[in-house]
Amino acid sequence: MADVNRGNRPLSPHLSIYRPQLTSITSILTRITGNALLLAALLIVWWFLAAATSPEYFAVADAVVTSLIGDLVMALSLWGLWYHTLAGIRHLIWDNALGLDLPTAEKLGWAVVIGSVVLTILTLLVIA
């Protein structure tokens, strides 16, 4: 028998053992925002296709996109775009073997989070 005590040990570490770290949370958010941006892009493509189809169909699509929910989706998509961009820049920095120590990685993580919120607000102020 290779491992007699297998039944007495957990098979893998449980999530309750570890404290979530900023780098792991930002990594998860990068994946989530990437997928959310795909859905937002599909919504925009639908809006463009509706504009090319007919005035009636465009009125329906435009009502959805410019509704309160549509505005919220677009604002969150804007945040996701800025977040995903800044997280990509952070990964480019890491790809050059810079900022890999824990204090710098923590600072870069906060820079991505805070920077994406600030850039989203500034963009919304310029657009409005």
Side-chain angles (χ1 to χ4, degrees):
M1 294 240 167
D3 193 357
V4 178
N5 295 324
R6 185 170 179 88
N8 297 333
R9 295 183 298 139
L11 297 177
S12 62
H14 195 270
L15 290 175
S16 64
I17 294 173
Y18 297 108
R19 179 181 63 90
Q21 299 171 358
L22 181 62
T23 52
S24 63
I25 299 298
T26 55
S27 176
I28 292 166
L29 276 176
T30 301
R31 288 168 174 79
I32 291 171
T33 56
N35 289 312
L37 286 172
L38 177 64
L39 295 175
L42 290 174
L43 182 65
I44 293 169
V45 167
W46 173 61
W47 186 72
F48 280 134
L49 288 174
T53 303
S54 70
E56 297 81 20
Y57 191 49
F58 177 71
V60 172
D62 193 51
V64 171
V65 172
T66 59
S67 68
L68 182 61
I69 292 174
D71 286 343
L72 182 63
V73 167
M74 290 299 154
L76 289 174
S77 298
L78 182 61
W79 171 77
L81 184 62
W82 279 120
Y83 181 89
H84 205 75
T85 301
L86 293 177
I89 292 170
R90 180 183 63 167
H91 276 278
L92 286 174
I93 293 169
W94 285 349
D95 288 343
N96 288 300
L98 300 171
L100 295 174
D101 58 299
L102 289 178
T104 305
E106 187 91 5
K107 289 175 188 171
L108 286 173
W110 282 115
V112 168
V113 172
I114 295 169
S116 64
V117 171
V118 169
L119 288 170
T120 301
I121 292 169
L122 289 174
T123 305
L124 288 173
L125 290 174
V126 168
I127 290 172

